[in-house]
Amino acid sequence: MAARCGPGATRWRRRHPPRRRRTWSRAWRPRWAWSRPRAARSACDGEDAQAYRAWLRGQYHLARPSPERARRAVAEFQQALERDPDCAGAYAGLAYAYRALAAVDRALALDPDLAEAHVARGWIQLWYDWDWDAAEASFRRALELDPGLAEAHFGLGNLYMHTGRMDQARAPLRQALALDPLSPLFNAIGGWVIAGPDQPSHHLDRALELDPDYFLGWVMRAGVRQRAGDAAGALADLEQARRLCGDCSHALTILGRLHAAQGRTEDARALLARMQARRQAGYWPASSLAALHVALDERDAALDLLEQAWAERDTRMAFLLLDRPVRWAGLEQAPRFQALQARLRLPVAGTEPATGRTASADTSAPDRDGR
């Protein structure tokens, strides 16, 4: 149809207004509408159904962390890479599962704007490098690239938690939970922060409803029950956690502390001896042994092991500030403990949180997660 002009054009336009073009703001625009075009599509983008499904299965297992789930996630990501060696998403998943910086670098080389890879790098910087500034920058970069990525909000909230900024942590953790309300991990950790560690939270119950095999949910509920005076319930939850995670260090540590709190010193020492034997036979986190020594009121031994944990880059050292009120109770004023906090650039008791870059430790130490 020819364009109308002349005296009758105005009346015609009023009767037949032009169609309005649909526009989206970046905040809620579908991701495909604004993502950076790629020169070639990866098999993990859906062109190869088997690779895409393997990547999805890997993501599913990563969202429900446990030693067994991590192994299954790795297998799925490797299957995706067998079909497409350039699948950046699978490399990002491997980086998260292995905490491997090389996999992050490979993912970002393939796609510098892959938000998931920046999230994986942030976790490595948080848990292994103890570089709070770099971790925050990585999580924020991920959010710039994908504001709707729940994992990026969750990572930023955890960064705030680890550095003593609990008030700031609540907003990103709530956002992560709003974006992915079916995540057992987000329900457990987010609920713990939002409701407080001493308050029974429906988020924690929800996490176990979503995934009854989520061992961390059982461990956390055991802590809630112990603080509420329900020792029998706490013990039952810990036994379930042990079964699910294969006597992982986290569950055994909490169990040993529970024995000590109940006055069952012989049981606590028997568990400590078992953990020492496992450490001699292979890797076992020094921080787990330190926690039992604290529970048994053996502070010098605990401090010796904490210093070993720092040298070994034990991931639990990133939790030093979070663990201080309970796990490390009684050590706060010890000069050696305060020296560890200074090395990690964490605030000592009664001071404001620090956000500076951490001092680097021996990078040749084992790169393990202590499970």
Side-chain angles (χ1 to χ4, degrees), residues 101 138 261 296:
L101 190 58
S138 292
L296 293 167

Side-chain angles (χ1 to χ4, degrees), residues 255-257 259-260 264-273 292 295-296:
L255 180 61
R257 289 181 54 80
H259 287 333
R264 299 167 57 182
T265 305
E266 291 186 4
D267 290 337
R269 290 198 179 281
L271 197 55
L272 177 60
L292 260 65
L296 293 167

Side-chain angles (χ1 to χ4, degrees), residues 256-265 268-269 272 288-305 326-332 334:
R257 289 181 54 80
L258 178 61
H259 287 333
Q262 293 177 322
R264 299 167 57 182
T265 305
R269 290 198 179 281
L272 177 60
S288 293
L289 301 175
L292 260 65
H293 280 293
V294 171
L296 293 167
D297 200 25
E298 298 168 352
R299 299 182 184 182
D300 286 339
L303 289 166
D304 289 342
L305 284 159
V326 177
R327 185 173 292 209
W328 311 126
L331 299 182
E332 302 95 322

Side-chain angles (χ1 to χ4, degrees), residues 196-229:
D198 295 317
Q199 299 296 323
S201 170
H202 72 277
H203 291 297
L204 191 53
D205 294 333
R206 177 63 172 157
L208 292 173
E209 288 176 7
L210 290 166
D211 186 359
D213 292 338
Y214 180 43
F215 88 94
L216 186 58
W218 293 100
V219 170
M220 295 180 69
R221 197 173 78 171
V224 171
R225 287 183 164 181
Q226 181 184 2
R227 285 186 288 272

